[in-house]
Amino acid sequence: MGEKSDPGRLILLGAPLGNPADASTRFREVLATVDVVAAEDTRRLTRLARDLDVTVPGRIVSYFEGNEERRTPELVDTLLAGHAVALVTDGGMPSVSDPGYRLVRAALDAGVPVTAAPGPSAVTTALALSGLASDRFCFEGFLPRTPAARRSRLRALAAEERTLVLFEAPHRVTGALADLAAAFGADRPAALCRELTKTYEEVVRRPLGELATWAAEGDPRGEITLVVAGAPQVAAQRPDDATLRAAVAEREAGGRSRRDAVTEVAAEYGLRRREVYDVVHR
């Protein structure tokens, strides 16, 4: 590849999760036109291109967890030389619990334009199929590998009110579900999504306790995404009148005006200012 005057572009490609038919027209166009394709698994990319009947004229290089650190500067040099580079992982969007963040950050720092040909995502696909609330959710990626670290992380997440989306390896999913049930409660609704968009796609929607038993008995295999309902909201208990008066008096003793003291106490307890004012002057 010869030198070009302007920096090239880094293009993130959203790859099909399992069904090649989910590849977008733009995905195909980018594969057929870029100078370099950095692929998490070059053999998988070659099979996908064959299934899509797409010829990849550019150079194909590997880019995975084991060589990210070494390969990133090479790709940035390629981009700075004016060449277009596409980044594709085994499925879903690069950088989302997959290789990519390091290259995106390095390209941006070097002043290289970064864009994307959006595509499938296991995160949003599993969330939509779970039947759980999807208006607010958080993605935690993979849980820690060791049981002790995993349990510690789950204890920190137990009060999270948003729907939770997790990735998990098949050989750890039984232990992860048991720990989830212990930390979140066996009755917390959840869904295990397996092999999304593939021939043997399966979505099992059960409370965590039942789901943990099902996994222990069935030993699920394949790519797994877990979706867990958020913690139920607990209504704050209104403090009694004596507590409100004492809180206002404490602030007044500290130099606040009564107006400011009432406003602060109302905000602290999630009450209307008028309600606190009436209690103080009752």
Side-chain angles (χ1 to χ4, degrees), residues 94-119:
S95 293
V96 182
S97 279
D98 274 334
Y101 169 77
R102 189 190 298 268
L103 180 57
V104 170
R105 187 66 263 167
L108 292 173
D109 289 344
V112 174
V114 178
T115 186

Side-chain angles (χ1 to χ4, degrees), residues 168-178 180-181 186 190-195 200-227:
E168 194 50 274
H171 64 281
R172 292 197 301 267
V173 71
T174 298
L177 284 167
L180 277 161
L192 183 149
C193 305
R194 188 181 72 86
E195 295 291 87
Y200 298 104
E201 175 181 287
E202 183 177 26
V203 180
V204 183
R205 306 172 183 87
R206 300 183 185 180
L208 281 171
E210 295 181 21
L211 202 54
T213 300
W214 174 86
E217 294 174 349
D219 192 23
R221 298 294 179 180
E223 301 287 340
I224 292 173
T225 304
L226 298 174
V227 187

Side-chain angles (χ1 to χ4, degrees), residues 140-145 150 153-154 157 166-168 172 176:
E140 279 290 319
F142 285 92
L143 290 170
R145 287 183 171 87
R150 181 173 65 213
R153 184 64 189 139
L154 290 177
L157 292 169
L166 302 160
F167 289 161
E168 194 50 274
R172 292 197 301 267

Side-chain angles (χ1 to χ4, degrees), residues 1 11 13 27 30-40 42 45 56-63 71 75 84-89:
M1 293 181 295
I11 308 166
L13 296 183
F27 181 94
V30 171
L31 280 184
T33 56
V34 291
D35 301 307
V36 177
V37 180
E40 184 177 10
T42 57
L45 172 66
V56 182
R59 183 164 58 97
I60 299 176
V61 299
S62 65
Y63 189 81
R71 185 54 56 80
L75 290 173
V85 175
L87 177 61
V88 59
T89 59

Side-chain angles (χ1 to χ4, degrees), residues 4-78:
K4 300 182 182 180
S5 57
D6 298 320
R9 285 191 309 158
L10 175 61
I11 308 166
L12 310 179
L13 296 183
L17 302 177
N19 190 331
D22 291 335
S24 69
T25 299
R26 189 169 172 221
F27 181 94
R28 300 163 190 255
E29 291 173 349
V30 171
L31 280 184
T33 56
V34 291
D35 301 307
V36 177
V37 180
E40 184 177 10
D41 185 327
T42 57
R43 292 170 298 179
R44 183 173 293 194
L45 172 66
T46 301
R47 288 197 301 271
L48 176 61
R50 184 171 61 246
D51 290 340
L52 298 176
D53 196 23
V54 172
T55 299
V56 182
R59 183 164 58 97
I60 299 176
V61 299
S62 65
Y63 189 81
F64 59 98
E65 185 178 1
N67 73 356
E68 270 188 288
E69 187 171 358
R70 172 178 57 83
R71 185 54 56 80
T72 293
E74 299 173 7
L75 290 173
V76 171
D77 287 344
T78 299

Side-chain angles (χ1 to χ4, degrees), residues 227-280:
V227 187
V228 184
Q233 292 185 347
V234 179
Q237 185 174 0
R238 181 193 180 282
D240 58 31
D241 290 356
T243 299
L244 293 175
R245 292 193 191 98
V248 172
E250 181 181 358
R251 284 166 173 75
E252 287 182 305
R256 297 282 198 279
S257 68
R258 173 157 294 187
R259 177 186 180 86
D260 288 345
V262 167
T263 299
E264 290 177 11
V265 171
E268 179 181 349
Y269 290 106
L271 302 173
R272 291 181 294 111
R273 183 181 177 281
R274 183 68 192 182
E275 184 177 357
V276 178
Y277 180 87
D278 288 344
V279 168
V280 172

